[in-house]
Amino acid sequence: MAGGMQDNGTYLKTAPGENQPWNDIFGGDGGYTAATPEAVFWYASFQESQIYRLTLDKQAGLTSFARVDPVGGSDFLFINPFVLDPNNYNRMYLAGGVDIWRNNNLSQIPGGSQKPTSINWDRIEIEGLGSSITAMDISTTPANILYLGTNTGSLMKIENASTGGGEISTLPSGIGYLANITIDPANADNLFVINSNYGIPSILYSKNGGNTFEDVGGNLEEFPSGRGNGPSIRWSEIVPLSNGEYKYFVGTSSGL
């Protein structure tokens, strides 16, 4: 597993156990990370969405790299989100202010460059958004539904996002800074939307593709309104189990 740490680069751990080392694989203000199956490629980013594709040896030493963020990208957040498409790990969706950038084949970007690239990047304009995209996730069942949220609580859904020809729908908005969206891998109608602000409901859950949401913050909120001394919620994951049940995880300002 890998993770970026602001001011402290990106670290990778390749074996379980408290005594197994973390390896420093990338510098700068560590941001979002991702990996392809079998760890063929790792993706690491730092400030203002500079993103690199890395190949590593078994000791986590760098064997090749390529910078993959797009020429002409602008309005990136300091720590800017991107996601690899679980239906095709060569496809990336990248937030770019009020637009989405999509690359349908990252593997064709040649190695060795430290400059942005124009290879295979398309820009998807989201009309009327008006605020910066801060969270994204892409579905698998069915595939290619992209949900995105903003720093002012706007929430949108793009059908057939892999082709760019899909319908864009505005969904009932959140009420704060949307830090994370997580789609159920087994059913794209189920999703979490996370508000990271204090003083408001933090964990919203939809069972109908985002048409309606319910507050499921439970005892992570001191009061039902979200006010009080509950932690700020930052991230969520939905894990389907083989017996048909689920586990749900949330990362907070005070732990997992």
Side-chain angles (χ1 to χ4, degrees), residues 93-141:
Y93 295 93
L94 169 66
V98 297
D99 298 325
I100 291 287
W101 291 85
R102 181 191 63 225
N103 192 306
N104 279 331
N105 196 339
L106 293 165
S107 67
Q108 291 183 339
I109 298 172
S113 174
Q114 297 188 53
K115 296 181 179 180
T117 180
S118 60
I119 295 174
N120 296 331
W121 281 107
D122 296 308
R123 192 172 193 160
I124 304 172
E125 295 184 2
I126 313 294
E127 292 191 14
L129 194 58
S131 51
S132 295
I133 296 167
T134 52
M136 298 182 295
D137 201 14
I138 184 77
S139 70
T140 54
T141 311

Side-chain angles (χ1 to χ4, degrees), residues 241-255:
L241 304 178
S242 58
N243 63 1
E245 297 181 352
Y246 284 84
K247 284 190 180 294
Y248 305 94
F249 296 87
V250 291
T252 81
S253 58
S254 60

Side-chain angles (χ1 to χ4, degrees), residues 186-199:
N187 183 350
D189 280 343
N190 302 331
L191 65 146
F192 281 124
V193 170
I194 302 299
N195 290 306
S196 62
N197 307 65
Y198 291 98

Side-chain angles (χ1 to χ4, degrees), residues 44-256:
S45 64
F46 60 94
Q47 58 266 30
E48 296 174 346
S49 207
Q50 298 180 63
I51 307 171
Y52 282 77
R53 184 191 70 215
L54 311 175
T55 56
L56 306 172
D57 61 26
K58 291 183 179 180
Q59 289 73 45
L62 181 68
T63 58
S64 72
F65 70 90
R67 185 169 170 179
V68 302
D69 51 288
V71 169
S74 61
D75 299 321
F76 294 129
L77 301 174
F78 186 76
I79 299 298
N80 195 69
F82 69 85
V83 292
L84 293 186
D85 187 344
N87 307 287
N88 175 357
Y89 282 91
N90 271 323
R91 180 180 296 124
M92 177 184 286
Y93 295 93
L94 169 66
V98 297
D99 298 325
I100 291 287
W101 291 85
R102 181 191 63 225
N103 192 306
N104 279 331
N105 196 339
L106 293 165
S107 67
Q108 291 183 339
I109 298 172
S113 174
Q114 297 188 53
K115 296 181 179 180
T117 180
S118 60
I119 295 174
N120 296 331
W121 281 107
D122 296 308
R123 192 172 193 160
I124 304 172
E125 295 184 2
I126 313 294
E127 292 191 14
L129 194 58
S131 51
S132 295
I133 296 167
T134 52
M136 298 182 295
D137 201 14
I138 184 77
S139 70
T140 54
T141 311
N144 301 317
I145 301 172
L146 178 67
Y147 290 89
L148 57 92
T150 75
N151 59 345
T152 58
S154 297
L155 181 66
M156 305 191 85
K157 176 180 179 179
I158 304 176
E159 307 276 355
N160 300 313
S162 62
T163 62
E167 179 182 350
I168 301 175
S169 305
T170 301
L171 302 174
S173 340
I175 49 178
Y177 189 107
L178 298 187
N180 172 246
I181 300 169
T182 300
I183 305 169
D184 179 351
N187 183 350
D189 280 343
N190 302 331
L191 65 146
F192 281 124
V193 170
I194 302 299
N195 290 306
S196 62
N197 307 65
Y198 291 98
I200 61 174
S202 300
I203 309 175
L204 305 178
Y205 183 66
S206 176
K207 296 182 286 187
N208 53 21
N211 292 317
T212 59
F213 285 89
E214 58 181 312
D215 176 5
V216 295
N219 64 359
L220 282 171
E221 315 280 14
E222 184 176 5
F223 302 111
S225 66
R227 295 188 180 278
N229 292 319
S232 169
I233 312 299
R234 310 294 174 83
W235 201 265
S236 62
E237 292 292 340
I238 301 173
V239 182
L241 304 178
S242 58
N243 63 1
E245 297 181 352
Y246 284 84
K247 284 190 180 294
Y248 305 94
F249 296 87
V250 291
T252 81
S253 58
S254 60
L256 180 65

